[in-house]
Amino acid sequence: MTDNDSIRITPLAERPALIPRLYEINDSWPAFTHHEPAANALLSRVPAEFPQYCVVATDGDRVVARGFGVPFSTGFDDREELPDQGWDRVLVWAFQDQGAGRTPTAASALEITLDVDYLGRGLSYRMLAALREAAGRQGHDSLLAPVRPTAKHLEPRVPMADYLRRHRDDGLPADPWVRVHVKAGGTVEKIAPASMTVAGSLADWRRWTGLPFDGDGAVDVPGALTPVHCDTAHDHAVYVEPNVWIRHPAGPRTA
C-alpha cells in the first residue's frame, strides 16, 4: 500500500527479494541486545521462514522499517499464551512448532524497527497496523506483543510494575511506545519479567558497553531497562530484561 508520504508497507511474503536487505536499517538497538542467545540463533531466520507474519517498509529503493512476527502453539506442555519469558520463549516455540508440524494457535510480534531518520513520522503506528493485518490474514483473532517500553531505560532502577502505573493526564500510558500500542487498540495484559536474557564474561560486557564492570552488584548500562548484575568473583554479568505483554485485535483496526 502507498500514501502521499511515499512510504510503502507490504507483507514480506509479497517482497521476498527484500529479505537480504532488512538489516540495512540504521537502528538504535543497544549493542548488548545482539548477544541474546535466542536472537543470535533464530531471529535472522524469521523473515525467510515466517514471511507471512512479517512486514517491510520502503521509501523508494530504501528499506526504512521492518516488522517481524511469528506463530506458535499453546495448550500443551503447560505452555502459556503469555509466557513470563516473553520474547525469548515465543521465538523458540515458533521454531519448535514449525519443526514438529504443529498448527499455530497464536501469533506474536517480535520487533518493529524503524530507521532513525524516519522516527517521529507516525510510521510505528502503520507498521503495527500492518503486523496486525498480517496476523489476521493467517486466521488469528489477536496479535500478541512482548513490548519493550522505549523510555524505561532512563529509569532502570524503577520496577516495571511501578513504571507501568504512570499515566498522562489524558489517561494514556506515560511511556511513548506503550502509548502507541494502547492508542492503536492494544490492551496491556501482564509483565513478562524475564523476556530476554543476555549473559557474558566481564570482558564481554566491557567490550559491549565500554564500562569497567569492576565491582559487584547492579550496573546501570545505557539502553538497558534494568541494571545488569555483575559478579566479579565468578567473572560474569547477567542482564534480565522485562517486557510488557500487550494484546491487539488482529486484522484492520475498526473505529
Side-chain angles (χ1 to χ4, degrees):
M1 58 186 175
T2 60
D3 67 11
N4 58 13
D5 69 1
S6 79
I7 296 175
R8 177 187 180 196
I9 303 175
T10 50
L12 192 57
E14 296 179 10
R15 306 183 75 187
L18 292 178
I19 290 175
R21 299 184 55 202
L22 292 172
Y23 288 92
E24 293 177 3
I25 296 169
N26 181 19
D27 65 52
S28 57
W29 287 95
F32 64 84
T33 62
H34 299 298
H35 301 278
E36 207 276 347
N40 266 334
L42 300 173
L43 188 61
S44 65
R45 294 170 52 190
V46 167
E49 302 201 34
F50 303 103
Q52 67 275 33
Y53 287 89
C54 301
V55 297
V56 60
T58 53
D59 187 357
D61 292 331
R62 181 178 179 181
V63 177
V64 299
R66 62 179 182 262
F68 292 172
V70 290
F72 63 99
S73 300
T74 59
F76 67 97
D77 293 341
D78 297 323
R79 286 191 182 188
E80 298 178 71
E81 189 179 48
L82 303 171
D84 287 342
Q85 292 77 20
W87 189 95
D88 220 350
R89 188 53 54 91
V90 296
L91 176 59
V92 171
W93 282 351
F95 283 93
Q96 287 179 336
D97 294 340
Q98 181 195 55
R102 299 186 184 108
T103 300
T105 62
S108 177
L110 291 176
E111 70 167 84
I112 294 175
T113 299
L114 275 57
D115 191 290
V116 294
D117 291 339
Y118 287 75
L119 297 173
R121 301 190 187 188
L123 183 54
S124 57
Y125 286 96
R126 294 176 58 196
M127 292 293 287
L128 179 55
L131 282 177
R132 290 196 344 251
E133 292 170 10
R137 283 193 295 271
Q138 300 308 310
H140 299 283
D141 294 328
S142 62
L143 175 70
L144 309 173
V147 172
R148 188 178 200 266
T150 51
K152 177 66 175 69
H153 71 99
L154 300 173
E155 300 180 86
R157 307 248 174 174
V158 174
M160 183 66 84
D162 294 343
Y163 182 79
L164 289 178
R165 281 193 281 268
R166 298 178 182 173
H167 289 77
R168 305 191 311 183
D169 291 342
D170 60 7
L172 289 169
D175 183 82
W177 189 218
V178 176
R179 186 164 64 249
V180 166
H181 281 265
V182 171
K183 288 179 70 175
T187 302
V188 175
E189 298 274 343
K190 59 177 281 191
I191 294 169
S195 195
M196 299 177 69
T197 301
V198 181
S201 69
L202 300 186
D204 287 335
W205 280 98
R206 291 171 188 135
R207 185 171 63 254
W208 298 339
T209 67
L211 298 175
F213 276 90
D214 55 2
D216 290 329
V219 179
D220 292 340
V221 170
L225 307 194
T226 60
V228 177
H229 296 278
C230 178
D231 186 332
T232 57
H234 295 94
D235 188 30
H236 70 243
V238 180
Y239 172 64
V240 181
E241 176 170 297
N243 288 166
V244 183
W245 276 116
I246 297 180
R247 183 188 303 272
H248 288 271
R253 183 180 180 186
T254 56

